[in-house]
Amino acid sequence: MSYLSVSPTLGYVPSSMSNPARNKASPALRGAYAWRRPLLSWTLTLLMALFGGVLRFFRLGKPRAVVFDETYYVKDAWTMLMTGEARDWPENVQVNGVDTSVNTLFAAGDTNHWLASAEYVVHPPLGKWLIAVGLKLFGGAGNIAAWRVSVAVAGTIAIILMIRVALRMFHNLPIAMLAGFLMSVDGVGIVMSRTGLLDNFIMVFALGAFLMLLIHRDWAIKRLRKRFEIDSSLRSARWIVVGHGRATRLVLDSPGPMIAFSWWRAGAAILLGLATGVKWSGIYFFAAFCVISVLWDAWLRRQVGYRFWLASGIFRDGIPAALYMLPLYGLTYLADWENWFIHPDSYMHNWAANNPGQGVTWLPESLRSFVEYHVEMWKFHTTLDVPHAYRANPLTWPLQIRPTSFYWEWIDGHPGLCSLNTSQRCVAAVTSLGNPLIWWLGSACVIAGIIIAIKHRGDWRIGAVVIGFIGGWLPWAQYLNRTTFTFYSIVILPWIILGICFVANEVRERASALTWRLTLAVTVGAIALVSLFFYPIWTGMPVPYEFWLSHMWLDSWI
């Protein structure tokens, strides 16, 4: 048997099996760096981040109020900065004999009305510490922009990460810049980057971890191909024919090298530990991303040409990866709670001492209290069922059926855009509503991408999109009776965008150059105009009431 050709997919292919069409390498195996102009790509990446950053930082201190759940997270961050732990706050205090809202006083810079008692907080502390960093660096709570600057920075970093993720998935700079543009101008991305809440941090940590796993994947491709060349050239190399008919493949009877460990994969575990240190929902990303990363490793072994690819992927890569990723993840999460362990008056810190013989008795007292605190948090999250005007069923999030109104106020006079129509009353609103075209088109593209992948017998990139939904959205389906809000959907925004990019890439590869450019121009232009139209009600700009009402395309948006 003579070997006339080498295929990244089939290995060494004898002349009787050689077929140029079948031996063409898949895009994933053309090399880890298909783009050839890194200086240009990074320049455009930073310019797009600058554009998106301006949208996030412009008028960051407006509205001058404690917006929606900032009442919890910002005040917690402030007391953590002042005392080391979150403290309870009264709703109102007496000021000159008048019952006054603490939130009103806090927004005015009067920030010292917290109580001595530690607060029962229902989310891990990292996100609030990140908000506290902004308070520390930019003038304290007297500067409203200071408590929002950390989320604005995170939202800007997300644009950079989004571009680099798309570049590694599609190896095409226009597609990557499309991803960055969509992240820059989407309404949920903008609002959550201008409001002192936690969910933006989860999205950024998860997206960063996903990028690291993509880098690991590219590293694994390079390592597998290099080792395959060595293994297949050995005199002792043994070849096996597998499959039937057109699916026949010649594979190397070898498990291939171990690719379980890379610093990129370790970094992903740490970032996912940080995501969980913001909110527990980060654990779903950890589970989903670990599974997909191991499956990537296994499938790459198959594509390169090794036998027993699934068993090798599980036992040579999956189990060893778990042996270091799980401890890294767990230790990172535990480190997020350092201040809770340090401060003896933190909430439930002394529970074990006050309840001898209860809880997990074989643990040291501090860890026993820590575990019991988590039990209390779990009970809260799994039983939360409080009526709320903007409560939204998780199944409706991708279509933005019931957006969250963060802020609404009638404005005296006619400032800003209200001067365009002085016959109407003036309002200022902040509505966490995504750009409808992005979310509706993205949802359709994810479905279309799955159909395309099935038709073409698989595509790992749509699998990557789906895994983002599994990690960020699907777990909420088990809590349909829980009080949830549409702004939680910020964590699936990257995968909504990647769904659009997947279909856009299909158009680029299969349509004429003119059709592709026209499709891209029309899509970007329409989305840009919609974002320009909605930007005032994403950022609390004073506008005429009828102008605000013209944005309420669905009755459920009001």
Side-chain angles (χ1 to χ4, degrees):
M1 182 180 291
S2 59
Y3 298 99
L4 301 181
S5 62
V6 181
S7 165
T9 303
L10 305 181
Y12 284 77
V13 183
S15 56
S16 61
M17 296 173 61
S18 180
N19 183 324
R22 291 175 60 194
N23 292 343
K24 183 179 179 181
S26 65
L29 296 176
R30 292 175 189 160
Y33 301 97
W35 53 96
R36 299 178 181 178
R37 293 179 289 180
L39 179 59
L40 175 61
S41 73
W42 272 108
T43 299
L44 293 177
T45 296
L46 295 177
L47 287 175
M48 185 62 75
L50 177 62
F51 166 69
V54 169
L55 298 179
R56 284 151 177 75
F57 281 91
F58 177 63
R59 298 176 71 255
L60 187 59
K62 300 294 180 66
R64 293 191 58 81
V66 176
V67 173
F68 204 68
D69 279 355
E70 285 184 340
T71 186
Y72 305 114
Y73 308 132
V74 172
K75 290 189 296 186
D76 283 353
W78 178 244
T79 52
M80 289 165 71
L81 189 62
M82 294 294 101
T83 72
E85 275 295 302
R87 304 293 170 183
D88 282 320
W89 292 77
E91 290 188 13
N92 300 285
V93 294
Q94 290 287 319
V95 178
N96 297 325
V98 178
D99 206 26
T100 307
S101 166
V102 165
N103 284 351
T104 300
L105 295 172
F106 193 92
D110 186 358
T111 59
N112 297 316
H113 296 286
W114 70 78
L115 305 176
S117 55
E119 184 183 6
Y120 169 42
V121 292
V122 296
H123 295 299
L126 180 60
K128 284 156 284 188
W129 278 117
L130 293 173
I131 294 173
V133 170
L135 288 167
K136 178 68 174 179
L137 296 179
F138 295 96
N143 177 14
I144 290 179
W147 75 56
R148 297 170 183 162
V149 69
S150 293
V151 291
V153 170
T156 305
I157 292 173
I159 298 168
I160 297 174
L161 295 175
M162 190 76 255
I163 294 172
R164 306 317 292 185
V165 164
L167 202 53
R168 284 192 175 267
M169 287 180 64
F170 301 102
H171 293 183
N172 181 264
L173 191 53
I175 294 291
M177 297 313 297
L178 171 64
F181 176 76
L182 297 179
M183 179 64 80
S184 297
V185 303
D186 179 67
V188 175
I190 290 173
V191 172
M192 297 304 290
S193 297
R194 298 172 57 87
T195 312
L197 306 186
L198 305 181
D199 304 78
N200 218 34
F201 298 128
I202 306 174
M203 182 268 287
V204 173
F205 284 133
L207 187 58
F210 189 71
L211 176 59
M212 288 197 169
L213 292 178
L214 287 174
I215 298 174
H216 167 83
R217 185 180 186 278
D218 287 341
W219 169 84
I221 291 171
K222 184 178 180 180
R223 178 169 170 78
L224 285 170
R225 294 186 70 189
K226 183 177 181 179
R227 182 59 180 269
F228 185 83
E229 291 178 3
I230 296 172
D231 291 345
S232 60
S233 64
L234 298 175
R235 289 182 177 273
S236 58
R238 182 167 177 263
W239 300 89
I240 304 293
V241 177
V242 298
H244 302 280
R246 296 184 62 184
T248 299
R249 297 184 300 117
L250 189 66
V251 299
L252 187 63
D253 189 19
S254 167
M258 179 179 287
I259 52 175
F261 179 81
S262 74
W263 289 109
W264 299 110
R265 187 176 254 169
I270 292 172
L271 285 177
L272 290 167
L274 294 175
T276 309
V278 175
K279 275 189 175 183
W280 281 0
S281 51
I283 195 171
Y284 298 118
F285 278 114
F286 178 71
F289 286 0
C290 285
V291 169
I292 196 67
S293 183
V294 171
L295 291 178
W296 283 346
D297 284 355
W299 191 250
L300 289 174
R301 290 178 181 277
R302 181 187 187 280
Q303 286 185 294
V304 168
Y306 283 111
R307 194 183 184 193
F308 304 123
W309 54 273
L310 182 58
S312 296
I314 294 173
F315 294 104
R316 291 178 63 85
D317 299 329
I319 293 177
L323 291 177
Y324 73 86
M325 291 185 76
L326 281 168
L328 277 175
Y329 171 80
L331 289 172
T332 301
Y333 176 77
L334 196 63
D336 296 334
W337 288 87
E338 178 185 4
N339 264 55
W340 184 91
F341 287 100
I342 291 174
H343 288 81
D345 65 339
S346 55
Y347 187 81
M348 290 186 70
H349 187 278
N350 298 316
W351 180 89
N354 297 329
N355 296 272
Q358 298 184 40
V360 187
T361 55
W362 55 268
L363 287 174
E365 280 194 353
S366 59
L367 286 178
R368 189 151 55 98
S369 298
F370 184 67
V371 169
E372 189 63 25
Y373 188 3
H374 278 61
V375 171
E376 290 295 314
M377 293 167 63
W378 175 257
K379 290 178 181 176
F380 171 86
H381 287 299
T382 54
T383 59
L384 181 62
D385 187 16
V386 179
H388 195 286
Y390 291 98
R391 177 172 174 167
N393 188 307
L395 299 181
T396 69
W397 294 354
L399 297 179
Q400 299 288 291
I401 299 298
R402 184 57 172 163
T404 314
S405 177
F406 279 1
Y407 176 81
W408 167 276
E409 183 184 15
W410 291 105
I411 302 293
D412 293 330
H414 295 87
L417 295 176
C418 292
S419 61
L420 300 176
N421 189 344
T422 58
S423 65
Q424 294 182 17
R425 291 196 65 182
C426 189
V427 302
V430 177
T431 306
S432 181
L433 169 67
N435 181 311
L437 294 189
I438 293 177
W439 286 84
W440 296 346
L441 178 62
S443 297
C445 284
V446 171
I447 296 172
I450 293 172
I451 295 172
I452 291 170
I454 293 173
K455 181 180 178 181
H456 296 158
R457 298 185 178 180
D459 190 315
W460 73 272
R461 292 170 296 187
I462 198 62
V465 174
V466 171
I467 208 66
F469 276 88
I470 290 175
W473 178 50
L474 191 60
W476 291 99
Q478 62 184 315
Y479 301 116
L480 296 182
N481 293 324
R482 188 186 185 277
T483 303
T484 58
F485 302 95
T486 298
F487 70 84
Y488 295 175
S489 65
I490 183 64
V491 298
I492 61 171
L493 175 60
W495 287 273
I496 284 283
I497 291 171
L498 289 175
I500 295 174
C501 291
F502 180 86
V503 174
N505 192 62
E506 287 291 310
V507 174
R508 180 185 67 85
E509 291 183 340
R510 301 178 186 282
S512 66
L514 178 60
T515 300
W516 156 239
R517 290 169 185 166
L518 184 61
T519 301
L520 182 63
V522 170
T523 302
V524 169
I527 289 172
L529 288 175
V530 171
S531 288
L532 181 63
F533 179 62
F534 276 89
Y535 188 74
I537 72 162
W538 292 334
T539 58
M541 290 183 177
V543 296
Y545 174 76
E546 287 296 331
F547 180 81
W548 171 84
L549 192 60
S550 69
H551 293 72
M552 301 296 104
W553 295 357
L554 304 178
D555 290 342
S556 59
W557 289 4
I558 298 176

